[in-house]
Amino acid sequence: MKKRVLVTGGAGYIGSHTAVELIEAGYDVVVADDLSNAEMTAVEGVRRITGAEVPFVKADCSDPAQLFPIFEQYPVDAVIHFAAFKAVGESVHKPLDYYRNNLSLLITVLEAMRKYGVENIVFSSSCTVYGQADVLPVTEQTPRKEAESPYGNTKKMCEDILRDSVKAYPGLKGIALRYFNPIGAHPSALIGELPRGVPNNLVPYVTQTAAGLREQLSVFGDDYNTPDGSCLRDYIDVVDLARAHVAAIGRMVGGRSKAPYEIFNVGTGRPVSVLELVHTFEKVNGVKVNYKIVGRRAGDIEAVWADTSYANSELGWKAEKSLEETLAGAWNWEKHRRGIE
Ligand code: UD1
């Protein structure tokens, strides 16, 4: 019997790529999304890539009246819970919206799982929980720091809600995946990131600048204590990241979890600076990115990258794509969307 996975936030950037990889790995998938920050075109892209029907339910998963019927209609073996607000800057101005939405989403999903006897959940966490770590790269044992933003705090709090729930409810298993910086797009260029308005994140800003939609990229700071003075991050291809979810689901439904609650870093283990990323993008794609160095962005940390050895050995998963390949994919997606070439 095929296993079925409910993907909340499955019309979003990481959710849609994960739906594809799940289907290609032999799972059935149900997508639930309220489309508040996602487009149906992503679900259609998933259907086109996989040739699968992929049931979609438009639902706010923080509302039991909308979520529970999905569990009734589509019995599932596991949930991957992506649905959440994710804009760091916005969270500073609207903390209550972020706390209410992100916490009640996870709580409602866990309540539904209890009600319908679903025992496996993967939660989208973030390397933001490490803050500026004292020792790099960060391992899963690196202490979490005080969150820099309400958004970051919701990731910490949701990890704790999951940990405590797993402790209290026998049979329940959870895996928190701490993502580093997801970038790139599916090689088909049928799905990718769809930022609304001016992008906050580096790579969409780079691709939109190269496409002429933005005049100039601001590089936030060249006076950090790093080799070229710009910040270091661990940029992971979204397809590699999606495959880490497949590995996590396989571990849980295959009964290979070593503990009811587990945490894995999902990165490449390679630090890349902002300037290195921009120059690599230019080189790989043969385009110029107009940029200027400006002051530091408030709340940015200097450097973070993953020690991935635990995920590599325990999940049997490893990021495979090179930065070059990933940045070529990011540009391909932007061109495809804009009808360039
Ligand atoms: C940010 C969040 C992180 C969240 C992640 C989700 C902050 C402080 N952190 O990560 O919590 O999980 O997004 O996507 O916001 N940069 C520029 N110019 C730009 C945009 C970015 O120089 O126009 C630089 C930043 O200073 C940073 C790097 O590029 O050094 C990556 O930035 P970004 O893509 O926004 O991700 P993070 O800030 O690492």
Side-chain angles (χ1 to χ4, degrees):
M1 262 289 275
K2 268 189 159 185
K3 304 276 186 201
R4 190 192 271 146
V5 181
L6 171 64
V7 182
T8 74
Y13 174 43
I14 306 170
S16 57
H17 288 80
T18 300
V20 167
E21 297 306 314
L22 283 168
I23 293 163
E24 293 191 341
Y27 292 93
D28 280 333
V29 165
V30 182
V31 169
D33 201 301
D34 68 355
L35 300 179
S36 62
N37 190 24
E39 308 287 338
M40 260 321 272
T41 53
V43 180
E44 284 148 16
V46 173
R47 291 175 178 151
R48 275 188 65 191
I49 293 166
T50 60
E53 275 180 30
V54 194
F56 170 79
V57 186
K58 185 170 185 292
D60 172 353
C61 296
S62 69
D63 177 5
Q66 296 181 54
L67 181 65
F68 289 14
I70 302 175
F71 280 77
E72 293 270 2
Q73 194 182 348
Y74 300 99
V76 294
D77 300 283
V79 179
I80 306 184
H81 178 51
F82 292 103
F85 291 164
K86 63 168 188 180
V88 177
E90 183 184 58
S91 79
V92 175
H93 302 292
K94 300 179 173 174
L96 296 179
D97 291 1
Y98 271 68
Y99 287 118
R100 184 178 51 227
N101 185 64
N102 291 4
L103 302 188
S104 69
L105 272 163
L106 177 64
I107 291 167
T108 312
V109 167
L110 288 169
E111 283 172 346
M113 289 173 64
R114 274 175 51 67
K115 185 167 157 67
Y116 294 96
V118 180
E119 297 192 321
N120 307 300
I121 176 166
V122 175
F123 172 67
S124 302
S125 191
S126 166
C127 69
T128 192
V129 301
Y130 296 117
Q132 182 55 69
D134 301 325
V135 180
L136 291 165
V138 292
T139 73
E140 290 79 357
Q141 274 71 51
T142 298
R144 298 183 310 174
K145 288 219 165 140
E146 187 83 11
E148 294 275 353
S149 68
Y151 157 79
N153 209 22
T154 68
K155 291 296 173 193
K156 263 179 93 173
M157 293 166 85
C158 283
E159 283 191 355
D160 293 345
I161 290 169
L162 184 55
R163 180 201 59 204
D164 293 345
S165 302
V166 156
K167 220 182 276 175
Y169 306 127
L172 181 65
K173 292 191 292 298
I175 290 182
L177 296 180
R178 290 178 177 160
Y179 311 155
F180 284 69
N181 288 57
I183 61 167
H186 193 268
S188 65
L190 290 170
I191 53 173
E193 196 166 2
L194 286 168
R196 289 190 174 165
V198 182
N200 295 310
N201 296 113
L202 178 61
V203 168
Y205 212 106
V206 167
T207 58
Q208 290 194 10
T209 306
L213 275 87
R214 309 277 157 213
E215 206 170 309
Q216 192 168 50
L217 167 76
S218 296
V219 171
F220 298 133
D222 70 347
D223 57 350
Y224 286 98
N225 185 22
T226 60
D228 66 18
S230 63
C231 295
L232 296 174
R233 294 288 185 274
D234 184 335
Y235 295 96
I236 177 163
D237 190 285
V238 67
V239 174
D240 279 332
L241 174 59
R243 290 181 182 153
H245 295 77
V246 178
I249 288 289
R251 182 179 178 87
M252 285 193 296
V253 300
R256 296 193 302 278
S257 300
K258 290 213 172 132
Y261 174 57
E262 298 183 301
I263 298 167
F264 295 99
N265 282 343
V266 189
T268 67
R270 175 175 176 221
V272 171
S273 78
V274 176
L275 290 170
E276 183 187 351
L277 185 142
V278 171
H279 294 142
T280 306
F281 182 91
E282 292 184 318
K283 199 163 140 224
V284 170
N285 296 312
V287 286
K288 285 302 287 171
V289 177
N290 183 24
Y291 73 86
K292 69 166 187 277
I293 312 277
V294 302
R296 295 180 177 197
R297 180 171 72 176
D300 266 345
I301 56 161
E302 183 167 275
V304 66
W305 69 96
D307 180 326
T308 61
S309 47
Y310 189 62
N312 296 161
S313 62
E314 282 297 314
L315 285 181
W317 163 90
K318 200 172 183 334
E320 280 164 7
K321 305 210 185 248
S322 66
L323 182 64
E324 286 76 8
E325 193 182 346
T326 299
L327 292 175
W331 180 228
N332 196 30
W333 162 244
E334 187 71 57
K335 284 193 298 187
H336 193 262
R337 275 183 76 197
R338 310 291 172 194
I340 300 172
E341 278 181 359

